[in-house]
Amino acid sequence: MLEIENLSDQEKDVYQALKDVIDPELQVDIVDLGLIYRIEVNDHLCQITMTLTIMGCPVSEWLNNEITKAAESVAEIDDCQIKLVWYPQWNPNMMSRIARMTLGIHG
């Protein structure tokens, strides 16, 4: 899981911008879903390492576009590269407490 205390100020700004990207199927933001594994900003390039809830996710292209727009909305970021990974494999335990409550997952 992404540890925000280790992020630079600009990376924290990207993190906050990504909270506005809502998964259209689950209606929860991708940060609270636990899909974002890493955010790195070098010069004007943002690199985001992430996963999806399932392989073949029907909204993956849409998510990529929304993530890119969100990252590039942060001052001084001109480009965003997304690295999609499958390890560690996503599971509901990666969601924030807020996401689990929103989706009715208790425990």
Side-chain angles (χ1 to χ4, degrees):
M1 183 160 220
L2 183 66
E3 296 182 23
I4 59 170
E5 58 274 355
N6 295 331
L7 299 178
S8 71
D9 288 343
Q10 198 173 30
E11 291 165 345
K12 286 178 183 175
D13 290 344
V14 172
Y15 173 87
Q16 288 302 319
L18 293 177
K19 288 183 98 20
D20 291 333
V21 178
I22 307 297
D23 182 297
E25 294 180 323
L26 300 175
Q27 295 301 304
V28 176
D29 71 81
I30 61 172
V31 171
D32 281 326
L33 282 174
L35 300 181
I36 305 301
Y37 290 170
R38 177 177 285 161
I39 299 170
E40 294 177 272
V41 175
N42 296 304
D43 295 321
H44 299 283
L45 171 64
C46 178
Q47 295 176 309
I48 297 172
T49 303
M50 65 170 292
T51 195
L52 298 171
T53 55
I54 58 170
M55 281 189 167
C57 176
V59 296
S60 62
E61 187 173 327
W62 181 87
L63 281 174
N64 282 349
N65 291 335
E66 294 301 305
I67 290 165
T68 298
K69 281 195 277 187
E72 291 177 355
S73 74
V74 173
E76 298 184 22
I77 293 181
D78 299 325
D79 192 20
C80 177
Q81 295 176 346
I82 299 170
K83 179 180 179 184
L84 188 60
V85 297
W86 299 108
Y87 183 83
Q89 183 177 4
W90 181 88
N91 68 72
N93 292 329
M94 297 171 137
M95 291 189 288
S96 71
R97 182 175 180 270
I98 293 169
R100 287 193 303 273
M101 289 174 55
T102 301
L103 295 173
I105 300 171
H106 303 284

